[in-house]
Amino acid sequence: MAGPPEHRVAALGTIPAPEAVFAPVRSYTAFEETVERLGTAIKLGLLAPASRLPAERELCARLGIARSTLRQALTALTQSGHVFATRGRGGGTFVSDPQPPADPPSPQMLAQWRETCDQRLAVELGVAVLAAERAQRADLDALDEVAAALEGALEDFSAYRQADIRLHVGLAEAASSTGLVRAMTEVQGAMTDLISYIAHPPQVLASSNAQHRRLLAAVRKRDAMRAARAMTEHLQGTEHVLAGLLPGG
């Protein structure tokens, strides 16, 4: 039987991870990019199985992020099975060994997931701009109600995802474009298949909700450029998480 993680690390004689793994991340997608950075490093073996991550204080300093952001990212990686934490002498956060078993996504899905994200970006940016220009007060009030429902569903991902889809489709409806409503529905279906392969801890959903609020605020102010930026941040956040947690991402 394998010994404690710290003993296994010593036996492996692991080479330190490249400095790029811990280079500062951008502030506007700090949580998502941290998940991507660490998740990708684990998948590629840059952070070796059973190896211990740097202490929180050091990791925060090297990544240039707040401790709360780091803890949210580690929670996502823990719930997905990529890392685990131990307490007491010699404790810390370790890379899981073996990594979590799962029914892998199909080769076609893995080959096309970035294209799926690209298609979503194209559709949703158009929706954000047009919604900012065309949304009526009733549309905005209804979207605010959906955003409130999302905040109450952090512990129930099934309910959360349903409301999330409703918010994005509702934005397309507010843009007053039947074609965009249809396109939004299609990309949301494709994204649901992808999202099912990653973890959804409440911290991840709370971060997404904050992005929703910034997006809706921009739409309400009829600031199309700000709405487009907020939507881009929101969608790239999801893409970062997928890149970090999808097999072969």
Side-chain angles (χ1 to χ4, degrees):
M1 180 179 294
E6 58 269 29
H7 295 163
R8 298 170 68 187
V9 172
L12 287 171
T14 48
I15 299 172
E19 285 299 316
V21 172
F22 304 116
V25 301
R26 293 171 294 180
S27 60
Y28 71 91
T29 56
F31 161 72
E32 296 90 348
E33 192 171 348
T34 300
V35 172
E36 178 186 14
R37 183 82 59 77
L38 298 180
T40 299
I42 290 168
K43 287 192 302 182
L44 296 178
L46 301 176
L47 293 173
S51 65
R52 177 163 39 194
L53 298 185
E56 280 191 4
R57 185 187 300 273
E58 177 187 353
L59 201 48
C60 288
R62 295 172 71 178
L63 292 171
I65 59 177
R67 182 167 291 190
S68 60
T69 300
L70 175 63
R71 287 178 174 173
Q72 290 173 6
L74 292 179
T75 295
L77 290 165
T78 298
Q79 292 199 2
S80 65
H82 288 73
V83 302
F84 67 95
T86 62
R87 297 185 180 276
R89 187 175 181 180
T93 301
F94 296 85
V95 177
S96 298
D97 182 20
Q99 285 291 295
D103 294 326
S106 68
Q108 181 180 13
M109 178 179 289
L110 291 177
Q112 296 180 349
W113 77 267
R114 288 189 184 275
E115 182 177 346
T116 299
C117 289
D118 288 346
Q119 292 171 347
R120 184 191 186 194
L121 181 65
V123 170
E124 299 232 34
L125 282 181
V127 164
V129 169
L130 292 178
E133 294 176 352
R134 300 174 179 175
Q136 302 298 310
R137 182 181 297 273
D139 298 324
L140 296 169
D141 291 344
L143 289 169
D144 283 340
E145 290 181 7
V146 177
L150 283 164
E151 291 168 357
L154 299 184
E155 303 290 342
D156 183 350
F157 180 70
S158 178
Y160 181 95
R161 181 58 184 152
Q162 290 179 0
D164 183 45
I165 292 171
R166 187 66 193 87
L167 185 142
H168 286 266
V169 173
L171 276 170
E173 292 171 338
S176 301
S177 171
T178 301
L180 281 178
V181 171
R182 183 170 57 251
M184 178 69 80
T185 302
E186 291 174 357
V187 297
Q188 287 296 322
M191 290 303 300
T192 294
D193 292 339
L194 288 173
I195 290 171
S196 67
Y197 290 103
I198 62 175
H200 317 100
Q203 293 88 345
V204 173
L205 305 185
S207 175
S208 182
N209 283 347
Q211 294 166 349
H212 286 147
R213 287 297 191 183
R214 289 193 289 273
L215 170 62
L216 294 180
V219 171
R220 188 174 285 276
K221 291 181 178 180
R222 300 204 177 281
D223 189 335
M225 294 304 297
R226 184 178 165 196
R229 287 194 298 270
M231 182 65 87
T232 299
E233 174 187 340
H234 180 52
L235 302 188
Q236 288 182 341
T238 301
E239 189 168 349
H240 280 309
V241 175
L242 286 168
L245 300 184
L246 274 180

